[in-house]
Amino acid sequence: RTAAGVNAGHTLPDKVKIVEVGPRDGLQNEKTIVPTEAKINLIDMLSESGLPVIEATSFVSPKWVPQMADQVEVMKGISRKPGVSYPVLTPNLKGFQAAVKAGAAEVAIFGAASELFSKKNINCSVDESLQRFDEVMKAAKEAGVPVRGYVSCVVGCPYEGKVAPEKVAHVAKRLYSMGCYEISLGDTIGVGTPGSITAMLEAVSKEVPVSALAVHCHDTYGQALANILVALQMGISVIDSSVAGLGGCPYAQGASGNVATEDVVYMLHGLGIQTGVDLSKLMDAGAFICRTLNRKTSSKVAQATCKL
Amino acid sequence: MGNVPTTVKHCLSYEQLIEDYPWLRHWLQEEKNITGHEYPEFVKIVEVGPRDGLQNEKEIVPTGVKIQLIDMLSGTGLSVIEATSFVSSKWVPQMADHTDVLRGIQRAPHVRYPVLTPNLQGFQDAVAAGATEVAVFGSASETFSKKNINCSIDESMLRFEEVINTAKERQIPVRGYVSCALGCPHEGDIKPSTVAKVAKRLYEMGCYEISLADTIGVGTPGSMLKMLQGVKKEVPINALAVHCHDTYGQALPNILTALQMGVCVVDSAVAGLGGCPYAQGSSGNVSTEDVLYMLHGMGIETGVNLPKVIEAGYFICNALCRNTNSKVAQAKSRTL
């Protein structure tokens, strides 16, 4: 490990895999409906920037998420770069089947660490949701399709408040034992700080190997990069982020949501950690989608760079 | 507070959290030990909004508003508030009312109000206006020094020596700043050994504390670590502070790195006031609110009441007709 990889006594990973969630999580939380062509163009630009994983769309009912109504066209329209994965969300068996039919080669399922959030968000308890996913897992195994698991509200819940690390560990363990190859731990409302994130990761890493864990930090309170740093110090080497910081927070109107990929990459490269990402091409993709959405970027790196 | 989520309510008032759940203090301290990092138990925040913040805002703020801002900040628990700058109004029009501001503020007990004094003349004016603490600004970059204050680093040190010696005679403490500690808009990368040299000079001349400033916000935890490793060979860690700019969004992880290395003094500006003069329209200072949120969430005490700082932030943003740069303030205003 290089000297730059040692941060205050902790070894950092040499490489980090960035999971780009802009086209799905990002756009899903943007008010303006983006035309299919623009979505495809965004994903193609992101493919060119060197990102290894780009979450392309969501096979959820368009009644609930109108932004993702063009899921099939997007899936069929993108140019798949060799070596890049394009996972899609599949909330249930029906969605899974539609996804595979449209050409999906990887899927993702979403659990919650908070009972209230689960009930309000997907209308069932955490255990019930995991049972639903069992069907998806079985079908995915048969089809040889890898499944990524998400746990939302890993630090705090907009309804329950503080979430116990043990509960997060329990849900993460369930998803992992069911067959998810990776578990992404989401700070859904961005309330986490290096204190609470550390406590949560300590509990989860007792149940799931650190190499199978990812963090999905929201920047609603400006804490995302600090949280990502402590996660790296604990051995996490997979980070979710969203180009241009797309996607607000549905629980704090107008506040920011996802952490910006550009800002994450800037930090990682500054630490001497490899990502395979070309920051300037990434910024081009960010500039493109912001023009399309007629909004300013939420990435500070992008803001600073275009002004020099 | 109506529908504000419980977690948020508690994070907004660390004091309230501990009051409601006294057993939590122990739990939060356990959190600190979990990473294996030893974080400071207490961090001193140096609030630079009224000086560094306003200095970099285009709108000239009326004296009455400046005084009100400082008075509001004085009621939040902050122990150091940089009030103004005794620099020529020709160069920094925003600070032209320095004497009126210093005379007009209500000095809270246990709060210090340092002012910038670039030279002996400025120092004397400051003392005449009632200053009881001053600050001098050095640079780790020769080019920046020449372009910013029209002289080399060595020449600037001679000027500061005059100020520091005179301050010593009057028993007025002096804080030293080193700008461009992590990068210069003209020279690019700056060697940690250069930063260490300038910091050492200021410390040996008599500055009680050296604030290491990432003037253009290009630093990352990687460069922050290397710089602090270099500087702490020459200046004791407890005499160091970090002054991080958030131009590239790196301020909080940089501050976290500094804390992990034992730094326990952090500069910040309410509402993230003050843009970056080298990247038009970009952000500059890190927001005090966001720093407090992080520190309190880690169980680190600051003595500062976050909701009151947020209020002061809303006040000055209204006066400036601008949005806050603080994410915490943005989120709070949207969840009410």
Side-chain angles (χ1 to χ4, degrees):
Chain A
R1 304 212 186 242
T2 62
V6 179
N7 190 267
H10 272 239
T11 17
L12 297 175
D14 284 333
K15 288 190 179 145
V16 159
K17 177 176 82 174
I18 304 247
V19 174
E20 171 58 49
V21 301
R24 201 279 309 165
D25 192 4
L27 291 184
Q28 187 169 306
N29 284 300
E30 292 286 332
K31 285 186 194 150
T32 319
I33 299 288
V34 174
T36 309
E37 271 313 303
K39 284 186 183 122
I40 290 170
N41 197 22
L42 171 65
I43 294 169
D44 288 348
M45 288 181 86
L46 291 169
S47 296
E48 283 310 303
S49 73
L51 287 158
V53 184
I54 301 166
E55 209 174 57
T57 186
S58 181
F59 281 80
V60 64
S61 161
K63 198 175 48 174
W64 298 121
V65 187
Q67 181 78 274
M68 301 285 128
D70 54 3
Q71 56 210 204
V72 177
E73 293 100 315
V74 168
M75 229 28 225
K76 289 189 168 155
I78 56 176
S79 304
R80 304 218 195 184
K81 192 156 190 234
V84 181
S85 306
Y86 299 90
V88 299
L89 244 66
T90 52
N92 48 40
L93 190 59
K94 185 166 167 218
F96 175 80
Q97 286 159 346
V100 171
K101 194 163 163 211
E106 182 175 327
V107 300
I109 58 177
F110 251 89
S114 150
E115 286 295 347
L116 267 177
F117 189 83
S118 188
K119 288 212 176 83
K120 295 219 177 206
N121 217 36
I122 52 174
N123 219 14
C124 63
S125 72
V126 172
D127 275 340
E128 283 166 353
S129 73
L130 293 175
Q131 276 164 23
R132 259 188 224 175
F133 296 142
D134 243 340
E135 291 188 299
V136 177
M137 294 306 307
K138 285 204 178 87
K141 267 184 203 152
E142 278 168 33
V145 171
V147 183
R148 187 186 210 228
Y150 279 93
V151 183
S152 47
C153 296
V154 298
V155 179
C157 167
Y159 313 106
E160 280 186 15
K162 207 164 166 124
V163 174
E166 294 68 38
K167 178 84 186 193
V168 184
H170 169 76
V171 179
K173 182 179 182 178
R174 277 291 294 273
L175 289 167
Y176 188 66
S177 344
M178 273 163 52
C180 291
Y181 76 91
E182 193 169 89
I183 313 297
S184 174
L185 304 163
D187 180 10
T188 307
I189 49 170
V191 289
T193 64
S196 50
I197 290 286
T198 300
M200 183 275 297
L201 288 174
E202 262 286 307
V204 177
S205 59
K206 285 184 186 143
E207 307 291 350
V208 180
V210 154
S211 55
L213 293 176
V215 290
H216 183 114
C217 297
H218 277 197
D219 205 36
T220 320
Y221 291 82
Q223 307 295 304
L225 286 187
N227 292 341
I228 288 168
L229 182 62
V230 292
L232 293 170
Q233 290 176 343
M234 292 189 74
I236 304 274
S237 59
V238 184
I239 309 287
D240 297 2
S241 59
S242 175
V243 63
L246 289 180
C249 179
Y251 304 96
Q253 272 285 39
S256 66
N258 285 302
V259 67
T261 306
E262 298 92 316
D263 300 358
V264 173
V265 169
Y266 186 92
M267 180 173 81
L268 295 175
H269 289 182
L271 280 163
I273 294 173
Q274 289 176 38
T275 63
V277 178
D278 180 324
L279 184 52
S280 71
K281 287 188 179 168
L282 178 63
M283 286 200 279
D284 286 343
F288 163 74
I289 192 62
C290 287
R291 275 197 307 271
T292 310
L293 284 164
N294 201 21
R295 64 160 269 181
K296 288 192 186 142
T297 180
S298 291
S299 154
K300 289 215 160 168
V301 170
Q303 284 167 25
T305 312
C306 74
K307 301 299 202 307
L308 283 171
Chain B
M1 278 199 254
N3 291 328
V4 175
T6 320
T7 316
V8 172
K9 267 191 264 197
H10 280 143
C11 287
L12 290 177
S13 171
Y14 177 66
E15 300 78 36
Q16 189 62 50
L17 178 68
I18 295 298
E19 212 183 290
D20 287 347
Y21 307 105
W23 52 268
L24 254 178
R25 188 186 290 274
H26 176 67
W27 188 80
L28 287 168
Q29 285 185 341
E30 272 179 13
E31 269 183 10
K32 262 189 282 180
N33 292 331
I34 279 168
T35 45
H37 288 296
E38 275 180 19
Y39 291 105
E41 283 183 2
F42 182 90
V43 162
K44 177 177 83 175
I45 303 270
V46 173
E47 172 58 47
V48 300
R51 200 279 309 165
D52 192 6
L54 292 184
Q55 185 168 307
N56 285 299
E57 291 285 333
K58 285 186 194 152
E59 291 269 329
I60 300 289
V61 174
T63 308
V65 171
K66 284 185 183 121
I67 288 170
Q68 193 172 343
L69 171 65
I70 295 169
D71 287 346
M72 287 181 84
L73 291 168
S74 294
T76 63
L78 285 160
S79 60
V80 186
I81 301 168
E82 210 174 58
T84 187
S85 179
F86 282 79
V87 64
S88 161
S89 51
K90 200 173 53 178
W91 298 119
V92 188
Q94 182 76 277
M95 301 284 128
D97 55 3
H98 39 62
T99 302
D100 294 330
V101 168
L102 205 47
R103 289 201 174 137
I105 56 174
Q106 290 179 14
R107 305 218 192 185
H110 313 302
V111 183
R112 287 147 49 198
Y113 301 91
V115 300
L116 244 66
T117 52
N119 48 39
L120 196 57
Q121 178 67 56
F123 176 80
Q124 284 159 348
D125 292 343
V127 172
T132 49
E133 182 174 326
V134 300
V136 296
F137 247 90
S139 170
S141 153
E142 280 294 354
T143 318
F144 189 83
S145 190
K146 289 205 177 90
K147 293 208 177 212
N148 216 37
I149 52 174
N150 221 14
C151 63
S152 71
I153 297 177
D154 278 341
E155 285 164 350
S156 74
M157 292 293 136
L158 292 173
R159 266 186 222 174
F160 300 145
E161 210 165 14
E162 277 191 306
V163 172
I164 295 170
N165 288 340
T166 317
K168 268 185 204 158
E169 282 166 29
R170 300 204 169 223
Q171 296 185 320
I172 288 178
V174 183
R175 186 186 210 228
Y177 279 93
V178 182
S179 55
C180 296
L182 293 175
C184 169
H186 316 292
E187 284 182 20
D189 284 340
I190 298 288
K191 287 196 194 128
S193 53
T194 311
V195 183
K197 201 167 135 202
V198 178
K200 181 182 183 176
R201 197 96 190 255
L202 288 167
Y203 187 68
E204 286 176 347
M205 288 196 313
C207 292
Y208 75 91
E209 190 171 272
I210 312 297
S211 176
L212 305 162
D214 181 11
T215 307
I216 48 169
V218 289
T220 63
S223 52
M224 172 62 83
L225 176 84
K226 286 187 194 143
M227 186 274 290
L228 286 174
Q229 278 173 339
V231 177
K232 71 180 210 180
K233 286 179 188 155
E234 308 291 352
V235 179
I237 200 91
N238 57 11
L240 293 177
V242 289
H243 183 113
C244 297
H245 277 197
D246 205 38
T247 321
Y248 291 81
Q250 308 296 305
L252 285 188
N254 289 344
I255 289 168
L256 185 69
T257 300
L259 295 174
Q260 289 176 351
M261 291 198 72
V263 171
C264 52
V265 183
V266 175
D267 298 1
S268 59
V270 62
L273 289 179
C276 178
Y278 302 95
Q280 271 286 38
S282 293
S283 64
N285 285 301
V286 67
S287 308
T288 303
E289 298 92 317
D290 299 359
V291 173
L292 287 172
Y293 188 92
M294 180 173 82
L295 296 176
H296 292 177
M298 293 166 68
I300 295 172
E301 297 195 30
T302 62
V304 184
N305 181 310
L306 177 51
K308 288 189 177 171
V309 176
I310 294 176
E311 249 182 77
Y314 287 152
F315 163 75
I316 191 61
C317 287
N318 273 338
L320 284 164
C321 290
R322 60 160 276 181
N323 289 330
T324 179
N325 273 342
S326 157
K327 290 216 160 170
V328 170
Q330 283 168 26
K332 183 176 190 287
S333 75
R334 301 299 201 288
T335 53
L336 287 170

Short mmCIF file of all heavy atoms in Angstrom, two decimals, chain A residues 119-143:
data_model
loop_
_atom_site.label_atom_id
_atom_site.label_comp_id
_atom_site.label_asym_id
_atom_site.label_seq_id
_atom_site.Cartn_x
_atom_site.Cartn_y
_atom_site.Cartn_z
N LYS A 119 -43.33 -0.02 6.06
CA LYS A 119 -44.79 0.02 5.91
C LYS A 119 -45.22 1.21 5.07
O LYS A 119 -46.06 1.08 4.18
CB LYS A 119 -45.48 0.06 7.29
CG LYS A 119 -45.39 -1.26 8.03
CD LYS A 119 -46.59 -1.54 8.93
CE LYS A 119 -46.48 -2.91 9.57
NZ LYS A 119 -45.63 -2.92 10.80
N LYS A 120 -44.63 2.36 5.34
CA LYS A 120 -45.05 3.57 4.60
C LYS A 120 -44.55 3.57 3.16
O LYS A 120 -45.18 4.11 2.27
CB LYS A 120 -44.55 4.82 5.32
CG LYS A 120 -45.19 5.00 6.69
CD LYS A 120 -45.50 6.45 6.99
CE LYS A 120 -46.20 6.57 8.34
NZ LYS A 120 -47.04 7.75 8.44
N ASN A 121 -43.41 2.96 2.94
CA ASN A 121 -42.79 3.02 1.62
C ASN A 121 -43.31 1.94 0.68
O ASN A 121 -43.59 2.20 -0.48
CB ASN A 121 -41.27 2.89 1.77
CG ASN A 121 -40.53 3.75 0.79
OD1 ASN A 121 -40.96 4.85 0.47
ND2 ASN A 121 -39.41 3.26 0.30
N ILE A 122 -43.37 0.70 1.19
CA ILE A 122 -43.81 -0.41 0.33
C ILE A 122 -44.95 -1.21 0.94
O ILE A 122 -45.24 -2.34 0.54
CB ILE A 122 -42.63 -1.34 -0.05
CG1 ILE A 122 -41.86 -1.81 1.20
CG2 ILE A 122 -41.68 -0.63 -1.02
CD1 ILE A 122 -40.78 -2.85 0.87
N ASN A 123 -45.57 -0.63 1.96
CA ASN A 123 -46.84 -1.15 2.46
C ASN A 123 -46.79 -2.55 3.08
O ASN A 123 -47.76 -3.30 3.01
CB ASN A 123 -47.86 -1.15 1.30
CG ASN A 123 -49.24 -0.76 1.78
OD1 ASN A 123 -49.39 -0.24 2.89
ND2 ASN A 123 -50.24 -1.02 0.98
N CYS A 124 -45.64 -2.90 3.63
CA CYS A 124 -45.57 -4.19 4.34
C CYS A 124 -44.42 -4.13 5.35
O CYS A 124 -43.60 -3.23 5.30
CB CYS A 124 -45.34 -5.34 3.35
SG CYS A 124 -43.78 -5.23 2.46
N SER A 125 -44.38 -5.12 6.25
CA SER A 125 -43.33 -5.12 7.26
C SER A 125 -42.00 -5.54 6.62
O SER A 125 -41.98 -6.04 5.50
CB SER A 125 -43.67 -6.10 8.39
OG SER A 125 -43.51 -7.42 7.90
N VAL A 126 -40.92 -5.38 7.38
CA VAL A 126 -39.60 -5.75 6.87
C VAL A 126 -39.57 -7.24 6.54
O VAL A 126 -39.13 -7.64 5.45
CB VAL A 126 -38.50 -5.39 7.90
CG1 VAL A 126 -37.15 -5.93 7.47
CG2 VAL A 126 -38.42 -3.88 8.10
N ASP A 127 -40.08 -8.05 7.46
CA ASP A 127 -40.09 -9.50 7.22
C ASP A 127 -40.90 -9.87 5.98
O ASP A 127 -40.47 -10.70 5.17
CB ASP A 127 -40.64 -10.25 8.45
CG ASP A 127 -39.54 -10.50 9.48
OD1 ASP A 127 -38.35 -10.45 9.08
OD2 ASP A 127 -39.85 -10.72 10.66
N GLU A 128 -42.05 -9.23 5.84
CA GLU A 128 -42.89 -9.51 4.65
C GLU A 128 -42.14 -9.14 3.38
O GLU A 128 -42.18 -9.86 2.38
CB GLU A 128 -44.21 -8.73 4.73
CG GLU A 128 -45.21 -9.35 5.70
CD GLU A 128 -46.36 -8.41 6.05
OE1 GLU A 128 -46.31 -7.21 5.65
OE2 GLU A 128 -47.29 -8.85 6.73
N SER A 129 -41.43 -8.01 3.42
CA SER A 129 -40.71 -7.59 2.21
C SER A 129 -39.62 -8.59 1.87
O SER A 129 -39.40 -8.93 0.71
CB SER A 129 -40.12 -6.19 2.37
OG SER A 129 -39.01 -6.20 3.25
N LEU A 130 -38.97 -9.13 2.91
CA LEU A 130 -37.91 -10.10 2.64
C LEU A 130 -38.48 -11.39 2.05
O LEU A 130 -37.85 -12.02 1.20
CB LEU A 130 -37.12 -10.38 3.93
CG LEU A 130 -36.30 -9.20 4.45
CD1 LEU A 130 -35.65 -9.51 5.80
CD2 LEU A 130 -35.21 -8.79 3.46
N GLN A 131 -39.70 -11.72 2.46
CA GLN A 131 -40.35 -12.90 1.87
C GLN A 131 -40.62 -12.68 0.39
O GLN A 131 -40.41 -13.57 -0.44
CB GLN A 131 -41.65 -13.22 2.60
CG GLN A 131 -41.44 -14.05 3.85
CD GLN A 131 -42.67 -14.04 4.75
OE1 GLN A 131 -43.80 -13.79 4.30
NE2 GLN A 131 -42.46 -14.28 6.02
N ARG A 132 -41.08 -11.46 0.07
CA ARG A 132 -41.32 -11.13 -1.35
C ARG A 132 -40.05 -11.31 -2.14
O ARG A 132 -40.06 -11.82 -3.28
CB ARG A 132 -41.73 -9.66 -1.47
CG ARG A 132 -43.19 -9.39 -1.63
CD ARG A 132 -43.41 -7.93 -1.93
NE ARG A 132 -44.52 -7.40 -1.15
CZ ARG A 132 -44.89 -6.12 -1.13
NH1 ARG A 132 -44.20 -5.24 -1.82
NH2 ARG A 132 -45.90 -5.73 -0.41
N PHE A 133 -38.96 -10.86 -1.55
CA PHE A 133 -37.69 -10.90 -2.26
C PHE A 133 -37.20 -12.33 -2.44
O PHE A 133 -36.45 -12.63 -3.38
CB PHE A 133 -36.63 -10.05 -1.54
CG PHE A 133 -36.97 -8.59 -1.52
CD1 PHE A 133 -36.69 -7.82 -0.41
CD2 PHE A 133 -37.57 -7.98 -2.61
CE1 PHE A 133 -37.02 -6.47 -0.37
CE2 PHE A 133 -37.90 -6.64 -2.58
CZ PHE A 133 -37.63 -5.88 -1.46
N ASP A 134 -37.61 -13.21 -1.55
CA ASP A 134 -37.25 -14.63 -1.66
C ASP A 134 -37.59 -15.16 -3.05
O ASP A 134 -36.80 -15.87 -3.68
CB ASP A 134 -38.05 -15.44 -0.63
CG ASP A 134 -37.13 -16.11 0.36
OD1 ASP A 134 -35.92 -16.27 0.04
OD2 ASP A 134 -37.59 -16.47 1.45
N GLU A 135 -38.79 -14.78 -3.53
CA GLU A 135 -39.22 -15.21 -4.87
C GLU A 135 -38.24 -14.71 -5.92
O GLU A 135 -37.85 -15.44 -6.84
CB GLU A 135 -40.57 -14.56 -5.22
CG GLU A 135 -41.76 -15.05 -4.44
CD GLU A 135 -43.04 -14.46 -5.04
OE1 GLU A 135 -43.17 -13.20 -5.06
OE2 GLU A 135 -43.88 -15.25 -5.51
N VAL A 136 -37.90 -13.43 -5.79
CA VAL A 136 -36.97 -12.82 -6.75
C VAL A 136 -35.63 -13.54 -6.69
O VAL A 136 -35.03 -13.88 -7.73
CB VAL A 136 -36.78 -11.32 -6.47
CG1 VAL A 136 -35.75 -10.72 -7.43
CG2 VAL A 136 -38.11 -10.57 -6.59
N MET A 137 -35.16 -13.81 -5.48
CA MET A 137 -33.86 -14.47 -5.29
C MET A 137 -33.86 -15.84 -5.97
O MET A 137 -32.89 -16.21 -6.64
CB MET A 137 -33.55 -14.67 -3.80
CG MET A 137 -33.34 -13.43 -2.98
SD MET A 137 -32.09 -12.28 -3.59
CE MET A 137 -30.68 -13.32 -3.78
N LYS A 138 -34.92 -16.59 -5.78
CA LYS A 138 -34.99 -17.94 -6.37
C LYS A 138 -34.91 -17.85 -7.87
O LYS A 138 -34.13 -18.55 -8.53
CB LYS A 138 -36.30 -18.63 -5.96
CG LYS A 138 -36.34 -19.11 -4.55
CD LYS A 138 -37.35 -20.26 -4.34
CE LYS A 138 -37.33 -20.76 -2.91
NZ LYS A 138 -38.24 -19.96 -2.03
N ALA A 139 -35.74 -16.96 -8.43
CA ALA A 139 -35.79 -16.81 -9.89
C ALA A 139 -34.43 -16.33 -10.41
O ALA A 139 -33.95 -16.80 -11.45
CB ALA A 139 -36.89 -15.82 -10.27
N ALA A 140 -33.81 -15.43 -9.67
CA ALA A 140 -32.51 -14.90 -10.10
C ALA A 140 -31.45 -15.99 -10.09
O ALA A 140 -30.63 -16.09 -11.00
CB ALA A 140 -32.10 -13.74 -9.20
N LYS A 141 -31.49 -16.82 -9.04
CA LYS A 141 -30.50 -17.91 -8.96
C LYS A 141 -30.65 -18.84 -10.15
O LYS A 141 -29.66 -19.20 -10.79
CB LYS A 141 -30.70 -18.72 -7.66
CG LYS A 141 -29.85 -18.24 -6.51
CD LYS A 141 -30.00 -19.11 -5.26
CE LYS A 141 -29.60 -18.30 -4.02
NZ LYS A 141 -30.25 -18.73 -2.79
N GLU A 142 -31.90 -19.19 -10.43
CA GLU A 142 -32.15 -20.08 -11.56
C GLU A 142 -31.65 -19.49 -12.87
O GLU A 142 -31.11 -20.19 -13.72
CB GLU A 142 -33.65 -20.37 -11.69
CG GLU A 142 -34.14 -21.46 -10.75
CD GLU A 142 -35.66 -21.51 -10.70
OE1 GLU A 142 -36.29 -21.22 -11.77
OE2 GLU A 142 -36.20 -21.80 -9.64
N ALA A 143 -31.84 -18.17 -13.00
CA ALA A 143 -31.45 -17.51 -14.25
C ALA A 143 -29.98 -17.12 -14.25
O ALA A 143 -29.47 -16.58 -15.24
CB ALA A 143 -32.32 -16.27 -14.46
#
